[in-house]
Amino acid sequence: MRPKSLYWHQFLLTAGMVALAMSVLAVSFFALSYNYTLSERRDTMKKDVMLISELSRDYFAGSDIYGYGDLSFRQLASYVAGFSGDDVLICQTDGTVLLTSDEQLVGKSLRLSDGIVSAVRRGEVYSGMTDLDGAYTRKEFIVCVPVVAQYSGEMIGIVAMLSDSTDLSEMWRAFVGIFFFTALTVLLTAVVACSIMTARQTKPLQDMAKAARRFAGGNFDQRVARSGNIDEIDELADSFNAMADSLQRTELQRREFIANISHELKTPMTTIGGYTDGILDGTIPPERANQYLQTISDETKRLSRLVRRMLEISRLQANDIIRDKKRFDICESMRRAIISMEKKITDRGLDVEAEIPDEPVWVLGDPDLITQVVYNLLENAAKFAPPGSTLKLALGKRNGKALVAVQNRGETIPPEELPLLFERFHKSDKSRSADKDGVGLGLYIVKTILSQHREEIQVTSENGVTTFTFTVTMTK
């Protein structure tokens, strides 16, 4: 994968955060554990050395350093040292060691450093690391306290206790080892989990990228699988698939549209070209020329209507109908539509039954386009209604909507045909084959206008009665 990919960005970010957290935790753990262990050892040694300091006060005051009583001072110091496991040093005020419980140091000239002596003279309890100027092979942890005369408060000596730092170091190293093992296990587990999770997150995105590239090549069959683990990724995958479905439908509609428009244009153009050539080359007798010229004129007009309809659809799809909505009386729009259809209705010998309220019914929308919807529905009804029958135009109200219904008698439209009536260039084999003037776009324009108004239209056809009903939102 490329270093700049989302997978690596996500993986490195998560792994880095885990590593940083573990590092901070490690430093904190090491510092706290070491200081806690050192503090515990220092407090224990301080108690022991303070006890020895109290016991040694009388010996310093009486100059009985070596002691000749029942229990000599050396034996007492050795007992305390053996009990605690640490070495005890009895020193003069200048730091010179007078007595030690470590048999290996007996007879050697030992002295505490000036820094230790200065700290003790200030009355402090000194703690630190020292090798007593090379007396020890490695540094020991030392705690020193002053021996103070009981009445004068004068410092008369120094008591020091030294602890082997090996145990302390080993214990601390054991803590460090355990921590590093635990931290490494957690870090590896986090890295593996992060890698798996990141891969699951990025795979749908990679699939979407591949699908998008295939879309660009004209292949709209690709879909993205849901991850099943992350709601946001699944939602994105669902949205992507919905977009793919929409693009696929659009592509199918585009291809169908091109095929239909090619067919609709080819038919009149073929007729016009054939009859024109027949008249020009004499194939059609002069006495019949006017008849064929009339056919050419009719086909030219139908071709012109088709082009106008196509331009009208293009204009409708480009306009923002929602922005152009305004309040108007739909009853007036219905009356205007009837008046515009008067000649066609009269020519076909039809009657009109209008159930339009006298009072205005105010709705929200584009008045010209809603009027065109009513006109197209009336035109469609008149086109397929048998002569002498009655067209019905009615207006009702329901749930804040104005319901406009256009009804005519004629042949019953099969149920499987009803959903196809609003598609472009659709013509029923039975009812619409006799329609020589139509171009199959009237109902599609109706559907387009109402969809842009976010309104609905329904059609029913039973027992020879076909009814179109659409809604318009009412307003006060």
Side-chain angles (χ1 to χ4, degrees):
M1 294 188 181
R2 294 180 293 108
K4 293 184 179 180
S5 67
L6 178 61
Y7 172 86
W8 284 109
H9 277 291
Q10 182 80 2
F11 174 77
L12 293 177
L13 177 62
T14 306
M17 292 298 294
V18 173
L20 178 62
M22 296 303 297
S23 300
V24 172
L25 182 60
V27 172
S28 302
F29 175 79
F30 296 156
L32 291 175
S33 63
Y34 183 77
N35 289 333
Y36 175 78
T37 305
L38 197 63
S39 177
E40 284 290 315
R41 178 60 63 89
R42 182 177 60 246
D43 292 342
T44 302
M45 293 176 64
K46 181 179 177 181
K47 292 179 182 179
D48 293 339
V49 80
M50 289 295 291
L51 174 60
I52 297 175
S53 175
E54 292 291 331
L55 293 175
S56 64
R57 182 185 294 125
D58 293 337
Y59 290 92
F60 274 104
S63 301
D64 188 10
I65 300 302
Y66 297 99
Y68 297 99
D70 294 335
L71 183 62
S72 68
F73 184 74
R74 179 187 294 274
Q75 291 174 331
L76 178 62
S78 299
Y79 174 77
V80 174
F83 180 77
S84 64
D86 299 325
D87 296 330
V88 177
L89 301 178
I90 306 298
C91 310
Q92 292 180 342
T93 56
D94 62 354
T96 301
V97 177
L98 298 176
L99 184 146
T100 175
S101 63
D102 189 349
E103 297 294 338
Q104 297 179 359
L105 300 180
V106 175
K108 293 183 178 181
S109 178
L110 303 174
R111 187 178 182 277
L112 300 179
S113 67
D114 293 338
I116 296 175
V117 173
S118 299
V120 174
R121 284 178 176 176
R122 291 194 298 269
E124 300 177 4
V125 176
Y126 176 85
S127 62
M129 304 294 291
T130 183
D131 60 357
L132 287 182
D133 293 331
Y136 289 95
T137 57
R138 54 179 173 270
K139 288 190 175 184
E140 303 280 324
F141 185 69
I142 187 172
V143 176
C144 301
V145 297
V147 179
V148 182
Q150 185 174 3
Y151 298 106
S152 65
E154 180 183 359
M155 188 180 78
I156 57 178
I158 299 174
V159 177
M161 181 172 282
L162 293 95
S163 176
D164 188 355
S165 62
T166 303
D167 295 339
L168 183 64
S169 299
E170 288 179 354
M171 182 175 61
W172 187 72
R173 281 196 294 268
F175 284 159
V176 171
I178 294 173
F179 178 83
F180 267 116
F181 176 77
T182 305
L184 184 61
T185 302
V186 172
L187 185 60
L188 290 177
T189 303
V191 167
V192 172
C194 173
S195 177
I196 295 174
M197 181 58 68
T198 303
R200 288 184 177 181
Q201 290 177 348
T202 55
K203 187 178 184 303
L205 301 180
Q206 294 171 350
D207 292 342
M208 291 179 198
K210 293 179 182 178
R213 287 191 289 269
R214 292 185 180 182
F215 290 168
N219 182 4
F220 296 96
D221 296 330
Q222 184 72 22
R223 295 296 182 271
V224 179
R226 292 169 56 93
S227 67
N229 298 313
I230 304 174
D231 292 341
E232 290 78 4
I233 295 294
D234 289 342
E235 183 178 354
L236 179 60
D238 291 340
S239 299
F240 187 89
N241 291 335
M243 179 194 70
D245 292 338
S246 178
L247 288 174
Q248 190 173 41
R249 288 193 299 269
T250 301
E251 176 64 14
L252 292 176
Q253 291 174 356
R254 184 187 69 83
R255 293 177 181 177
E256 182 182 358
F257 172 75
I258 292 175
N260 289 335
I261 193 66
S262 299
H263 174 75
E264 294 292 335
L265 289 174
K266 180 178 68 176
T267 301
M269 292 176 68
T270 301
T271 302
I272 292 171
Y275 288 166
T276 301
D277 291 341
I279 294 174
L280 292 176
D281 61 18
T283 303
I284 298 177
E287 61 273 12
R288 301 186 60 186
N290 287 339
Q291 174 185 349
Y292 288 98
L293 286 174
Q294 182 62 49
T295 302
I296 293 174
S297 176
D298 293 340
E299 291 297 319
T300 302
K301 292 177 181 178
R302 191 163 78 89
L303 186 61
S304 177
R305 286 195 300 272
L306 175 62
V307 173
R308 286 199 305 271
R309 290 288 194 180
M310 294 300 302
L311 292 175
E312 186 177 1
I313 291 173
S314 178
R315 179 182 63 83
L316 288 174
Q317 292 176 340
N319 285 347
D320 187 359
I321 303 299
I322 302 300
R323 186 182 59 188
D324 296 335
K325 279 186 176 182
K326 57 185 177 182
R327 182 173 178 266
F328 69 97
D329 179 16
I330 194 172
C331 297
E332 183 63 25
S333 296
M334 296 171 68
R335 295 187 187 99
R336 287 203 306 268
I338 293 176
I339 293 174
S340 300
M341 280 290 301
E342 183 177 2
K343 184 176 185 304
K344 291 184 178 181
I345 292 173
T346 302
D347 290 344
R348 292 188 61 85
L350 302 174
D351 293 329
V352 176
E353 180 182 341
E355 297 180 2
I356 304 175
D358 294 332
E359 298 294 328
V361 176
W362 301 102
V363 297
L364 192 63
D366 187 307
D368 293 335
L369 294 180
I370 296 299
T371 301
Q372 183 176 354
V373 168
V374 179
Y375 179 89
N376 285 6
L377 291 177
L378 282 173
E379 183 181 38
N380 182 77
K383 195 177 298 180
F384 303 109
S389 62
T390 301
L391 302 180
K392 184 177 181 180
L393 179 62
L395 176 64
K397 303 176 184 178
R398 186 176 62 197
N399 299 329
K401 297 279 189 177
L403 301 179
V404 180
V406 177
Q407 186 180 93
N408 71 282
R409 290 190 171 275
E411 295 186 16
T412 301
I413 302 175
E416 64 275 8
E417 190 83 15
L418 295 178
L420 306 177
L421 294 178
F422 300 101
E423 293 185 2
R424 290 173 293 194
F425 302 112
H426 175 75
K427 293 185 178 183
S428 172
D429 293 338
K430 294 181 179 180
S431 63
R432 296 192 176 217
S433 58
D435 176 24
K436 302 301 182 181
D437 296 328
V439 294
L441 291 174
L443 294 181
Y444 176 76
I445 292 176
V446 167
K447 182 67 174 180
T448 301
I449 293 174
L450 293 177
S451 295
Q452 291 190 335
H453 278 78
R454 296 180 182 174
E455 302 292 350
E456 297 180 353
I457 184 169
Q458 296 178 343
V459 56
T460 61
S461 185
E462 296 178 353
N463 301 322
V465 178
T466 301
T467 305
F468 289 85
T469 306
F470 69 92
T471 63
V472 186
T473 302
M474 295 175 60
T475 184
K476 296 182 180 179

